[in-house]
Amino acid sequence: MEIINRRQRMFSVSRTLRRENKTVGFVPTMGALHEGHLSLVREARRRCDIVMVSIFVNPAQFNQKDDFDKYPRDLTADAALLAQCQVDYIFAPEADEIYTPGFATFVDVEGLTDTLEGSSRPGHFRGVATIVTILLNTIRADQAFFGQKDAQQVAVIKRLAADLGFETEIVVMPTVREESGLAMSSRNERLSAEDRERATVISRGLKAAEHAFLAGETGGEELKRTVRETISAEPSIEIDYVEAVDNDTMVAVDRVRENKVLIAVAATVSGVRLIDNIVLPPGQ
Ligand code: AMP
């Protein structure tokens, strides 16, 4: 496994692999790896000749400096996990290797970034779309793997790849959860054991909405209320939003009809902001 810090080296490796007709699977991450990330890496390993993982805490997608500063970082532990998963290359550039002096080009995906994380974290998706564009262009993988945990990010990246004509296929993998139901997240590292327990009301709220839907409830307001009521049982958790939106356009819906509907939650537990979601109808 080679750890690459320079973009020029990454370009040259990618070029050689293309010339050798090797299929490349790419998993972009911000590090502090957990089973959620590793599920993407394993799928890439299963499908492709060569697996590349990027580890880059992207300053452009953090709208709060404090959140960026506190984001967990441990390249040594991450590299050990990735070596166990038979990863071939890690791309771990410093910020100034990506955002070079005079950097002035940003990618904005319009419309579907107006809601949910887009409205709560101004500039977040501009940062995400910009770094994903840079990474897809540098690595030119056959397939890139993303988690459903960040459902709006998936919609944004699919739109971006289609609009800008990236050949890389976008592969989406299900959310990996702790046994308690809590969606795995690098930010969970910042939670105490008690807070992790408290945070399980988020996934329980989403499960309750899924049960209500399976019992015949299709109203957006009713489903959102079910989620809210479950989460409110834990007063230390502050809800940022509970929304029901079309899974592709991210536009609010008032009822689950034929299109897939995303029920998405953002909530803060002891200063740590967590997101989670489900798609209705489930299991598709
Ligand atoms: P991050 O390091 O948070 O930027 O995440 C890197 C990739 O891992 C993104 O595509 C995430 O959606 C995905 N990911 C993060 N957490 C999970 C999870 N619990 N299950 C599945 N994928 C995840």
Side-chain angles (χ1 to χ4, degrees):
M1 186 175 77
E2 179 182 345
I3 301 181
I4 298 176
N5 303 116
R6 298 267 172 241
R7 248 168 119 185
Q8 281 309 329
R9 170 72 188 146
M10 199 66 253
F11 276 127
S12 123
V13 167
S14 301
R15 206 180 305 123
T16 306
L17 291 170
R18 274 200 304 284
R19 226 177 267 142
E20 292 172 350
N21 279 329
K22 295 268 177 29
T23 57
V24 174
F26 170 47
V27 182
T29 81
M30 298 202 299
L33 301 179
H34 50 67
E35 276 300 314
H37 298 110
L38 299 184
S39 71
L40 309 183
V41 172
R42 291 195 190 101
E43 184 64 10
R45 183 69 286 164
R46 205 178 65 74
R47 292 181 181 219
C48 301
D49 299 329
I50 299 291
V51 177
M52 296 193 183
V53 176
S54 64
I55 297 180
F56 181 62
V57 185
N58 175 31
Q61 73 188 66
F62 285 81
N63 54 322
Q64 286 180 339
K65 192 180 173 304
D66 186 50
D67 190 26
F68 174 72
D69 291 341
K70 285 190 180 154
Y71 201 85
R73 294 162 170 90
D74 191 345
L75 183 58
T76 312
D78 289 345
L81 286 173
L82 294 176
Q84 279 171 23
C85 294
Q86 275 106 43
V87 164
D88 299 285
Y89 297 93
I90 298 176
F91 182 44
E94 293 295 330
D96 58 5
E97 179 71 12
I98 299 292
Y99 299 108
T100 46
F103 187 97
T105 306
F106 292 89
V107 179
D108 259 316
V109 179
E110 296 181 354
L112 67 175
T113 54
D114 291 344
T115 51
L116 313 177
E117 292 302 282
S119 53
S120 287
R121 304 179 66 190
H124 170 66
F125 283 119
R126 185 182 196 240
V128 169
T130 302
I131 189 64
V132 170
T133 300
I134 293 169
L135 291 171
L136 290 183
N137 188 49
T138 307
I139 290 173
R140 308 253 226 111
D142 296 273
Q143 302 185 324
F145 298 79
F146 295 87
Q148 175 63 24
K149 155 92 180 358
D150 297 275
Q152 190 176 20
Q153 172 169 284
V154 164
V156 168
I157 288 165
K158 281 184 172 171
R159 187 75 260 162
L160 162 82
D163 290 353
L164 298 186
F166 285 109
E167 283 185 312
T168 306
E169 181 193 344
I170 305 302
V171 181
V172 183
M173 298 296 292
T175 302
V176 177
R177 298 177 181 281
E178 310 272 359
E179 244 174 71
S180 65
L182 178 66
M184 289 196 183
S185 164
S186 305
R187 287 192 168 85
N188 293 353
E189 282 186 24
R190 291 169 51 202
L191 296 176
S192 66
E194 292 78 18
D195 282 336
R196 274 188 188 226
E197 181 52 39
R198 291 184 184 115
T200 60
V201 287
I202 299 172
S203 57
R204 273 191 271 135
L206 290 165
K207 264 279 166 223
E210 186 180 298
H211 284 307
F213 172 79
L214 293 174
E217 181 59 76
T218 58
E221 283 309 320
E222 289 73 13
L223 292 166
K224 288 193 297 187
R225 194 179 317 123
T226 303
V227 180
R228 280 183 177 281
E229 281 174 4
T230 311
I231 298 177
S232 305
E234 191 49 77
S236 62
I237 297 197
E238 206 178 300
I239 296 175
D240 178 1
Y241 61 73
V242 178
E243 296 291 354
V245 299
D246 180 284
N247 191 46
D248 296 319
T249 64
M250 301 288 126
V251 172
V253 296
D254 56 10
R255 192 160 289 283
V256 185
R257 295 193 175 88
E258 57 276 9
N259 288 354
K260 285 198 216 169
V261 169
L262 178 77
I263 312 277
V265 178
T268 302
V269 187
S270 297
V272 179
R273 191 166 179 283
L274 303 176
I275 59 171
D276 197 356
N277 67 78
I278 53 163
V279 175
L280 299 177
Q284 292 187 358

